[in-house]
Amino acid sequence: MNDVIWQAFTEAFKSWNMSGPALHPPQTRATQYFGESLPIPELFTLEDAENIRLNLGKSFDDAKSLLTTQLGEGKYLGKKLWSFDEQEPMLIENIQWEGEKYNLLPTVKVSGLESLCSVSIQLLPKQEVVS
């Protein structure tokens, strides 16, 4: 896992594991840590999105393994694949680890609209979590 992703996951994990408030201001509903964003082709299909996820989402898989080692199995929220406005393929896959007050949500997203494959973590107050 590259250093940028490791740092993002470490910061998110520290915040998630704190007994006090998280590291985001009270008016913010979630803190998002970006680990990696890689440019992808502008034109691609839903099938291409799946292949991009397999090829570029390795850091998500590495982070999943690392967190599973430290925290046990997370709740797999699944993979959503759809086309935005019938033209822009989108794939989102995420896993959730529940803490006492916060949930840790690693995500890999392949976005036709943004022409990016990104890996990030969100730290969410428990009542804010959506599946």
Side-chain angles (χ1 to χ4, degrees):
M1 191 179 328
N2 72 35
D3 290 341
V4 176
I5 293 168
W6 173 251
Q7 183 179 358
F9 279 88
T10 301
E11 290 301 314
F13 180 71
K14 274 196 278 184
S15 297
W16 177 79
N17 210 22
M18 289 172 52
S19 58
L23 296 178
H24 55 267
Q27 65 271 35
T28 305
R29 289 166 40 155
T31 300
Q32 183 154 313
Y33 302 86
F34 274 97
E36 183 173 57
S37 289
L38 300 170
I40 57 176
E42 280 188 38
L43 301 174
F44 61 94
T45 65
L46 291 174
E47 186 178 331
D48 293 333
E50 293 253 40
N51 291 330
I52 289 168
R53 156 59 185 107
L54 290 174
N55 294 326
L56 299 180
K58 183 174 177 352
S59 52
F60 174 80
D61 296 330
D62 290 347
K64 174 184 163 185
S65 295
L66 176 70
L67 289 169
T68 299
T69 300
Q70 293 182 16
L71 305 175
E73 284 296 317
K75 178 181 176 187
Y76 183 67
L77 299 180
K79 182 169 32 176
K80 298 175 189 167
L81 188 62
W82 73 95
S83 212
F84 180 75
D85 265 357
E86 306 283 327
Q87 297 175 16
E88 305 291 349
M90 178 80 73
L91 178 150
I92 295 180
E93 183 178 356
N94 47 31
I95 301 170
Q96 174 183 300
W97 276 269
E98 290 191 25
E100 195 173 310
K101 296 180 180 179
Y102 301 97
N103 289 307
L104 205 56
L105 190 71
T107 301
V108 61
K109 178 171 78 169
V110 177
S111 170
L113 195 58
E114 300 167 19
S115 297
L116 287 175
C117 176
S118 63
V119 176
S120 64
I121 280 192
Q122 285 186 314
L123 185 68
L124 304 164
K126 280 194 128 171
Q127 68 273 16
E128 301 289 335
V129 174
V130 291
S131 53

